[in-house]
Amino acid sequence: PAATALGMAEADLYIIEGEINEYASNCAAPIVHKAGDVVAETPEVSHWWKNLGDKTVVLLSADLLKDKNDHNM
């Protein structure tokens, strides 16, 4: 499983192309993310994404790991 799913990391996502909906545990309605948007994820929120359009969505996702035992992070 991803580190974010285990509550060990945060992540940043950058939407490069397209439009995608995020369904998050802290929001009653879907959140629409468009090209140019940056999304910060935290372990406190459960969520999933869905492309409802007819174009491919391109995004860049990076997990930001935190290890209290690794003093180089």
Side-chain angles (χ1 to χ4, degrees):
T4 50
L6 297 173
M8 297 169 31
E10 296 180 358
D12 286 338
L13 287 91
Y14 174 65
I15 312 302
I16 299 170
E17 295 178 17
E19 182 175 296
I20 192 164
N21 287 8
E22 176 186 10
Y23 298 84
S25 61
N26 64 344
C27 192
I31 305 163
V32 179
H33 299 288
K34 299 178 180 183
D37 287 354
V38 175
V39 181
E41 295 184 342
T42 63
E44 294 83 20
V45 177
S46 299
H47 68 119
W48 58 280
W49 302 72
K50 186 171 186 178
N51 179 1
L52 297 175
D54 57 357
K55 295 183 181 178
T56 299
V57 175
V58 179
L59 59 83
L60 176 64
S61 175
D63 284 343
L64 308 172
L65 298 176
K66 293 181 181 179
D67 182 348
K68 64 182 177 181
N69 298 317
D70 186 344
H71 301 290
N72 295 309
M73 296 184 101

